[in-house]
Amino acid sequence: MSKLAAPAAAKASSTLPKKESILELSKLQDQLVRVKCIGGRELLGILRGYDELVNLVLDECDEFLRDESHQVTDQKRRLGLVVIRGTQVSVVAPNDGVEEIANPFVAAAEDDE
Amino acid sequence: MTTRLLPLELIDKAIGSQIWILMRGSKEIVGTLRGFDDYVNLVLDEAIEYSPDPHNVNKYIKTELHTEILLNGNQIAVLVPGGAGPSPENVSAA
């Protein structure tokens, strides 16, 4: 029976315990979260569950609709209890951690020239 | 409610019933879930495909496939167990 070389003990110094993610979804359990997907979809729902691959279970989930230029609007449609694939997730944020501000990139009319 | 729902368990519970899938772009699929694998590739029966209508945003063109399909998990973004698909007022037949 050939002995396989033991995996090098030199794991990256930033080793985390095996099941931990750098994102602590346990903090967001049962809270309203906003999830952005890499295809552009945005969803809002109550986080009911997740796994280590960041697959998510959202309850009372709404999807934000988009307009012709694929910009997200305030229009929503109700989806209900959903599973979001972790491979497609780009952002998970608590909904009450988000605040809309005036667009800082739009110059006020008198500023130009 | 602190008991955490595992996503893949929820998909497993949906086997045998209807499921609505939102793909990465604007395409959607509805079918009866027969099974899935670790990559969340799906086997769907009596699948109906809802393709985005190029002329109308948020509207769909429905194509009934009348067959069992293997849906590649690569582009699957959202799964809605028991879901019925986009609301009928937004759907037109192919």
Side-chain angles (χ1 to χ4, degrees), chain B:
Chain B
M1 201 201 316
T2 28
T3 41
R4 190 176 113 185
L5 266 181
L6 286 179
L8 297 181
E9 282 180 2
L10 192 58
I11 302 177
D12 191 67
K13 282 192 206 177
I15 291 180
S17 48
Q18 191 158 72
I19 192 164
W20 176 19
I21 307 297
L22 309 182
M23 312 289 284
R24 198 182 125 124
S26 296
K27 194 187 284 276
E28 305 181 10
I29 309 258
V30 173
T32 306
L33 182 62
R34 292 288 177 229
F36 68 103
D37 64 7
D38 289 341
Y39 302 97
V40 192
N41 293 316
L42 307 176
V43 176
L44 296 176
D45 208 349
E46 282 307 305
I48 303 172
E49 176 186 351
Y50 294 91
S51 317
D53 187 338
H55 305 297
N56 297 317
V57 74
N58 290 324
K59 300 270 188 224
Y60 302 88
I61 299 172
K62 175 177 169 174
T63 311
E64 290 177 13
L65 301 172
H66 294 299
T67 179
E68 204 173 33
I69 67 168
L70 168 65
L71 183 60
N72 194 311
N74 218 295
Q75 301 286 305
I76 293 177
V78 185
L79 302 94
V80 191
S87 45
E89 72 229 22
N90 290 328
V91 177
S92 52

Side-chain angles (χ1 to χ4, degrees), chain A residues 19 29-30 37-41 43 48-53 55-57 59 63 65-68 70 77-85 87-88, chain B residues 1-8 10-11 20 22-28 38-40 57-58 60 73-81 85-87:
Chain A
K19 252 187 98 91
Q29 177 73 19
D30 296 321
C37 297
I38 51 182
R41 293 194 191 265
L43 302 108
R48 290 289 183 222
Y50 54 93
D51 62 17
E52 60 277 2
L53 303 172
N55 293 317
L56 307 170
V57 179
D59 204 354
E63 181 187 1
L65 301 176
R66 295 173 280 169
D67 61 23
E68 294 82 36
H70 296 287
R77 64 169 174 173
R78 172 52 58 111
L79 301 178
L81 183 64
V82 306
V83 173
I84 304 179
R85 282 290 278 138
T87 56
Q88 299 293 311
Chain B
M1 201 201 316
T2 28
T3 41
R4 190 176 113 185
L5 266 181
L6 286 179
L8 297 181
L10 192 58
I11 302 177
W20 176 19
L22 309 182
M23 312 289 284
R24 198 182 125 124
S26 296
K27 194 187 284 276
E28 305 181 10
D38 289 341
Y39 302 97
V40 192
V57 74
N58 290 324
Y60 302 88
N74 218 295
Q75 301 286 305
I76 293 177
V78 185
L79 302 94
V80 191
S87 45

Side-chain angles (χ1 to χ4, degrees), chain A residues 99-113:
Chain A
E99 178 197 315
E100 187 170 339
I101 59 172
N103 191 336
F105 301 106
V106 174
E110 51 234 58
D111 286 6
D112 281 352
E113 352 223 24

